[in-house]
Amino acid sequence: MKRVLTAVLLAAMAMNLGAGPALLATGSEQVQQAPIEARLKDTLSQLTLEEKAGQMVQAEIGYITPGDVTAFNVGSVFCGGDQHPPLGNSAAHWLEMYTTYQEAALQSSSGLPILFGVDAVHGHSHVAAATVFPHNIGLGAANDPELIYAIGAATAREMAATGLNWNFSPCVAVVQDIRWGRCYESFGESAELQKSLVKPYVQGLQQEISATAKHFVADGATLWNKRNHRASRLLYNPDAFKIDQGDAKIGEGELRQIHLAGYLEAIEAGVDAVMISHSSINGVKLHGHDLIQSLLKSELGFEGIVVSDYESIHQLPGDYRRQVITAVNAGIDMLMEPRRWKYAIEAILDGVKTGEISLERIDDAVSRILTVKYKRGVMDRPIKDPVPASFGSEENRRIAREAVRKSLVLLKNEGSLLPLAKDAHILLLGPGRDSVAMQAGGWTLSWQGTIRDEVKGVSIRQGLASVAVDSGGLVYTDPIDAPKADVALVVIGEIPYAEGVGDNGQLTLDSATAHKDNLQALAEAKATGLPTIVILISGRPLLVTDFIPDWDAFIAAFLPGSEGGSGIADLIYGEYDFSGKLPLTWPKTARQFGETIYKPNYREKDYLFPFGYGLRYGK
Ligand code: BGC
């Protein structure tokens, strides 16, 4: 068709009547001069109800063909955590996939382009050889607004190099319980961190693509509870999902004081989308909650797209048709329905036919979707000239390395063991010593991350060795070499995980998400009698109270990403000083799980390390 594009062009030209020579300009220039509202009004008037309903769904690429996108005028497709282009996972494969789907959309009866979404939550990390930045919890420790702007812009450049135009990031959850598997997707437990970081992050991302503040709202407040989310327990394991997708028992005061901060910032930054949370507040699932309309859209004045989370409307009461109607009437504009998108379109159409969904609601939803497509330039240039060189570039890796340096937190340094001399002989032990995959964590190459050696980057062993090699230093990895070493450096931590799979009620060094070799590595180090430095790679604090007396130095590295090895070496050898501060309270015992700075009478001395703690070499 191109019906809409033609109509838009004519409308734009009509508006310029009398403008003399401007009419002679090329069509696309004419189009860009017309205000979005005028173009939107005209476009909307051209669409059939079926085309509008198609715009309101978002399907996952494994369950929709380019031909379906053409036939159903689908508004958006996405690649979830476990989907990849059919032919390979390079940036070129992603660009090819994007182009194929986009060209198909342009052939539809409406001619409207798609938004193509992905979870680039720490860089464009599903794609092989992307720059993988530290996860948000490390960025909270760094708390550097300029740096996070640069990370957002770099992520957007890598996405744009593959064509994609919609990022399901940032997660603005204010995590209140470290047992939550999504703890590392949060900047930390204090809303002050969201106030400082969300706006620049969104602004950086939206240099090129659409950002999404998620998950509305209070996803960080859900309570530990065995009975959460039956379907997920059946699907994964019976002990999982004890907190993820659960219920937040909070009053309005707490909601506003703690959990709204990120949305206020994101909206002020002009964020294009807000994703609704899988969780509930006081027993009411957010996908049907009146907070979407009353708070997000009316009070906060959010004018972008409200998108549902992955099949989350299925948790609403009633049959599928009822779930769709409830969600749309609650104010959801686009339904992330990876598999059932076709039924979602049918349910929307049926809801309009029976009068259960008003035409005004449909027009509001579609206007929001189209406005984002106009604002982000997708209407005018659905297929841009990609800049392949910006994918995984040196410049982006430099930003990531800086982020690593700023995100590590020095928690103990007895006798100033650190920094090490560059000619030190180091015995490097532990499961994380040579694993970029472990440094990267979840949402890397796949949803749950990977344990295979397939993430491009610099491991801790490589980072240290590249300094030592020119300075007479040595890095041993076999305990047999202990007599030749000056110091033992043990890298322990968590294996990669994402979402509810990472829920963990124990958080000990040998619990479900911890690497199985942690304790053995610590025992090996202890047996050498060497002064010992421990680096913990994890999405959150683990209980180390019984072990820390054995350690001379202790560093929380969180999930530092692909440049982890280089950034860690910068600090270990004292090229740079530490500046990171704990974005979370570090408990002494399991009884303190769920305690944060918002606890009445929070006393710093009650914890192993309080929120905000972090040492430096210098004064
Ligand atoms: C997660 C979202 C994510 C979506 C798409 C969901 O399970 O909760 O954060 O954006 O999947 O991958």
Side-chain angles (χ1 to χ4, degrees):
M1 134 15 328
K2 338 290 169 279
R3 171 154 48 84
V4 164
L5 293 183
T6 314
V8 168
L9 178 63
L10 290 173
M13 291 176 77
M15 290 188 43
N16 270 322
L17 273 179
L23 265 181
L24 299 174
T26 65
S28 65
E29 280 162 10
Q30 289 273 5
V31 169
Q32 279 156 24
Q33 284 163 14
I36 287 177
E37 303 91 84
R39 301 177 66 187
L40 174 67
K41 202 166 156 230
D42 186 72
T43 305
L44 211 55
S45 71
Q46 304 288 315
L47 297 177
T48 65
L49 182 59
E50 284 71 20
E51 289 167 341
K52 289 178 184 173
Q55 286 300 298
M56 290 172 64
V57 298
Q58 182 179 55
E60 193 170 15
I61 52 138
Y63 310 102
I64 188 163
T65 64
D68 291 333
V69 172
T70 312
F72 291 90
N73 287 277
V74 165
S76 175
V77 300
F78 76 109
C79 238
D82 282 333
Q83 300 263 339
H84 298 106
L87 298 177
N89 197 30
S90 71
H93 286 110
W94 279 74
L95 177 61
E96 191 189 350
M97 170 177 70
Y98 171 83
T99 309
T100 306
Y101 276 96
Q102 193 60 281
E103 279 171 351
L106 299 176
Q107 294 310 311
S108 64
S109 58
S110 69
L112 292 170
I114 43 166
L115 293 171
F116 199 131
V118 73
D119 292 276
V121 299
H122 60 149
H124 196 11
S125 53
H126 289 325
V127 188
T131 309
V132 182
F133 295 93
H135 267 296
N136 283 358
I137 198 66
L139 302 184
N143 195 9
D144 182 330
E146 268 174 47
L147 172 68
I148 208 165
Y149 176 90
I151 291 173
T155 301
R157 283 196 296 275
E158 297 210 8
M159 279 183 64
T162 63
L164 273 64
N165 48 30
W166 188 358
N167 191 357
F168 305 137
S169 170
C171 173
V172 303
V174 190
V175 58
Q176 297 298 294
D177 191 326
I178 59 173
R179 288 173 289 190
W180 189 28
R182 305 194 84 149
C183 178
Y184 66 78
E185 294 189 58
S186 167
F187 295 123
E189 70 186 35
S190 164
E192 296 308 313
L193 292 167
Q194 279 70 13
K195 285 184 196 157
S196 134
L197 297 173
V198 171
K199 195 190 284 179
Y201 201 11
V202 168
Q203 286 168 339
L205 287 165
Q206 292 200 163
Q207 290 303 300
E208 307 244 5
I209 50 111
S210 291
T212 309
K214 70 185 189 184
H215 310 81
F216 187 82
V217 57
D219 50 345
T222 59
L223 294 178
W224 183 258
N225 176 358
K226 280 203 170 128
R227 291 188 306 274
N228 280 343
H229 197 359
R230 187 171 162 274
S232 300
R233 274 190 283 126
L234 294 177
L235 256 174
Y236 299 101
N237 81 64
D239 292 325
F241 292 84
K242 286 180 172 163
I243 187 163
D244 191 45
Q245 310 196 1
D247 190 29
K249 299 231 176 297
I250 51 171
E252 198 182 330
E254 200 175 334
L255 175 73
R256 287 177 184 273
Q257 184 204 356
I258 305 174
H259 301 283
L260 217 50
Y263 298 96
L264 293 167
E265 297 298 317
I267 292 169
E268 225 176 278
V271 74
D272 282 342
V274 168
M275 188 185 291
I276 303 302
S277 177
H278 285 306
S279 58
S280 51
I281 293 187
N282 301 321
V284 181
K285 278 286 167 191
L286 279 148
H287 279 73
H289 210 294
D290 70 3
L291 284 175
I292 300 175
Q293 192 52 59
S294 64
L295 181 58
L296 180 62
K297 287 185 164 176
S298 299
E299 185 184 323
L300 306 187
F302 174 62
E303 291 179 343
I305 303 171
V306 174
V307 62
S308 59
D309 200 348
Y310 201 105
E311 295 189 333
S312 208
I313 64 165
H314 302 191
Q315 296 187 43
L316 294 172
D319 61 10
Y320 189 65
R321 178 183 173 282
R322 173 60 40 209
Q323 290 165 341
V324 169
I325 292 172
T326 304
V328 171
N329 283 335
I332 291 174
D333 305 307
M334 180 171 277
L335 298 163
M336 187 191 283
E337 281 300 298
R339 302 172 175 83
R340 309 195 71 176
W341 55 270
K342 214 182 278 183
Y343 301 107
I345 294 176
E346 277 171 19
I348 294 170
L349 291 173
D350 198 53
V352 174
K353 202 164 100 197
T354 58
E356 287 161 285
I357 302 177
S358 70
L359 275 174
E360 290 71 45
R361 179 73 268 276
I362 299 289
D363 281 350
D364 173 48
V366 178
S367 300
R368 288 163 179 267
I369 293 163
L370 297 185
T371 301
V372 168
K373 291 181 179 180
Y374 276 119
K375 254 174 55 187
R376 223 36 74 200
V378 184
M379 288 291 231
D380 296 317
R381 291 183 60 211
I383 299 175
K384 294 189 193 154
D385 304 326
V387 187
S390 51
F391 185 83
S393 68
E394 280 305 308
E395 165 62 4
N396 293 352
R397 290 184 189 277
R398 192 196 56 70
I399 297 167
R401 181 173 180 164
E402 179 186 342
V404 176
R405 286 198 298 265
K406 292 183 168 171
S407 67
L408 263 66
V409 184
L410 180 62
L411 294 169
K412 183 176 181 184
N413 193 18
E414 276 306 277
S416 297
L417 179 58
L418 287 168
L420 297 180
K422 288 183 183 163
D423 60 359
H425 287 201
I426 304 171
L427 174 61
L428 183 62
L429 300 172
R433 67 184 168 187
D434 205 8
S435 172
V436 184
M438 203 165 143
Q439 289 166 200
W443 296 105
T444 309
L445 296 180
S446 66
W447 182 42
Q448 295 297 320
T450 173
I451 45 168
R452 289 205 300 271
D453 186 16
E454 54 184 340
V455 185
K456 183 178 171 190
V458 183
S459 74
I460 294 178
R461 185 190 61 73
Q462 291 166 330
L464 296 175
S466 72
V467 176
V469 71
D470 295 327
S471 346
L474 273 172
V475 179
Y476 307 106
T477 52
D478 189 334
I480 210 160
D481 291 317
K484 293 184 266 174
D486 305 311
V487 64
L489 199 166
V490 195
V491 188
I492 55 172
E494 288 189 295
I495 52 171
Y497 56 79
E499 299 191 45
V501 178
D503 284 0
N504 179 343
Q506 296 171 318
L507 297 180
T508 54
L509 291 177
D510 57 354
S511 55
T513 57
H515 198 290
K516 64 175 180 26
D517 296 336
N518 287 339
L519 296 186
Q520 194 198 328
L522 290 173
E524 270 171 12
K526 195 168 179 181
T528 66
L530 289 166
T532 298
I533 303 156
V534 172
I535 298 180
L536 180 74
I537 295 184
S538 64
R540 53 193 157 188
L542 297 182
L543 291 176
V544 295
T545 315
D546 295 341
F547 298 87
I548 202 168
D550 292 340
W551 308 342
D552 300 279
F554 178 38
I555 297 166
F558 297 105
L559 298 167
S562 60
E563 310 317 299
S566 324
I568 286 172
D570 288 340
L571 294 167
I572 293 280
Y573 289 115
E575 281 296 318
Y576 290 84
D577 201 351
F578 284 85
S579 58
K581 305 283 176 223
L582 281 185
L584 298 162
T585 296
W586 202 295
K588 256 187 205 154
T589 72
R591 260 194 232 125
Q592 293 173 332
F593 293 159
E595 294 184 9
T596 68
I597 48 156
Y598 294 109
K599 181 177 184 249
N601 309 321
Y602 179 90
R603 292 190 314 181
E604 296 199 342
K605 66 178 167 53
D606 290 345
Y607 303 97
L608 190 63
F609 304 108
F611 174 85
Y613 189 77
L615 303 170
R616 301 178 66 95
Y617 294 146
K619 291 286 161 228

